[in-house]
């Protein structure tokens, strides 16, 4: 009897460890409207890719084998566009967080560089944040949250430009945390002039 109870308890624990987990719904502060180019990695691509990036559902390692994750193959840079949740627009010191993975054996690395832009009809697009060190800091065979701290206020539209480190770009979830641990000063972010007519791949490719 004791052996049976122990086996059942172990089975429940294993099931818990293997199951996907969810973020608190209050943390979903970003709504994405488009991805250019569209996700095309065959093991993750489906019609719900855009919604899956901000739905609060996270996957276990390796994320590139999970249909709930989002991936691109031989496509870089990738442009994501969206809006902050009403009430969070204009927050000073927000932090974008992206759940990424690293699996050297599979050729999967975190993005080489992520640039964040804020835009509106009056002022056009403004470069407000960058992370260009994730590929080196994330341990192999793991998933990790990487941060992009935002300089100043971000109102209206938000855009992310992600550059792959290799053949693949894999993102599982994106969240926005209001009030980062470190408020980035505007002068810390490299100035970037973008066309007011709209953010395009040609205007941001490096």
């Amino acid at each position: 009897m004791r052996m049976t109870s122990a086996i059942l308890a172990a089975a429940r624990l294993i099931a818990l460890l293997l199951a996907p987990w969810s973020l608190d719904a209050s943390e979903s502060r970003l709504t994405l409207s488009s991805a250019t180019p569209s996700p095309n990695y065959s093991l993750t691509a489906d019609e719900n890719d855009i919604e899956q990036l901000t739905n609060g559902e996270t996957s276990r390692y390796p994320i590139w084998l999970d249909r709930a994750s989002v991936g691109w193959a031989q496509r870089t840079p990738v442009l994501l566009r969206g809006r902050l949740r009403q009430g969070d627009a204009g927050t000073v010191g927000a932090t974008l967080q992206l759940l990424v993975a690293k699996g050297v054996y599979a050729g999967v690395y975190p993005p080489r560089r992520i640039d964040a832009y804020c835009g509106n009809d009056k002022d056009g697009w403004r470069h407000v944040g960058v992370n260009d060190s994730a590929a080196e800091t994330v341990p192999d065979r793991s998933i990790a949250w990487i941060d992009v701290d935002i300089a100043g206020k971000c109102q209206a539209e938000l855009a992310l430009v992600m550059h792959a480190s290799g053949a693949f770009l894999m993102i599982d979830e994106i969240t926005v945390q209001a009030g980062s641990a470190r408020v980035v000063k505007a002068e810390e972010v490299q100035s970037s002039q973008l066309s007011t007519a709209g953010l395009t791949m040609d205007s941001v490719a490096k």
Side-chain angles (χ1 to χ4, degrees):
M1 186 69 173
R2 290 180 179 177
M3 181 64 71
T4 301
S5 298
I7 292 174
L8 290 175
R12 285 194 293 268
L13 177 60
I14 291 172
L16 179 63
L17 292 173
L18 294 179
W21 50 280
S22 300
L23 298 167
D24 188 300
S26 65
E27 295 182 354
S28 298
R29 302 173 181 272
L30 174 66
T31 300
L32 295 176
S33 57
S34 66
T36 307
S38 298
N40 69 335
Y41 184 67
S42 60
L43 297 181
T44 61
D46 59 36
E47 67 276 10
N48 300 315
D49 275 340
I50 300 300
E51 292 81 7
Q52 287 168 348
L53 283 171
T54 58
N55 66 1
E57 299 289 333
T58 60
S59 304
R60 300 289 182 179
Y61 181 89
I63 65 174
W64 58 90
L65 300 181
D66 195 319
R67 187 66 67 181
S69 295
V70 181
W72 292 261
Q74 306 293 342
R75 298 288 187 271
T76 187
V78 169
L79 168 66
L80 300 177
R81 292 180 65 166
R83 287 182 176 273
L84 291 174
R85 186 179 64 183
Q86 187 175 5
D88 289 323
T91 297
V92 175
T95 298
L96 295 170
Q97 295 183 314
L98 295 85
L99 187 59
V100 302
K102 187 173 184 178
V104 175
Y105 71 95
V108 175
Y109 298 87
R112 173 177 60 82
R113 179 184 175 103
I114 303 170
D115 290 281
Y117 297 86
C118 292
N120 57 57
D121 294 337
K122 179 181 178 181
D123 302 319
W125 291 95
R126 183 168 53 92
H127 190 209
V128 295
V130 62
N131 183 321
D132 57 5
S133 61
E136 291 76 30
T137 58
V138 175
D140 191 17
R141 294 179 180 265
S142 70
I143 58 175
W145 290 98
I146 59 175
D147 295 346
V148 181
D149 291 325
I150 301 301
K153 295 182 180 181
C154 191
Q155 297 175 319
E157 283 197 277
L158 176 69
L160 293 179
V161 180
M162 305 182 294
H163 298 262
S165 295
F168 307 108
L169 180 64
M170 301 291 170
I171 307 293
D172 186 62
E173 186 71 16
I174 304 174
T175 69
V176 178
Q177 299 299 318
S180 65
R182 184 177 75 90
V183 176
V184 182
K185 296 179 181 179
E187 56 267 27
E188 295 182 49
V189 181
Q190 181 181 357
S191 177
S192 179
Q193 297 297 321
L194 299 177
S195 171
T196 56
L199 186 63
T200 66
M201 294 306 296
D202 290 340
S203 68
V204 297
K206 294 181 173 64

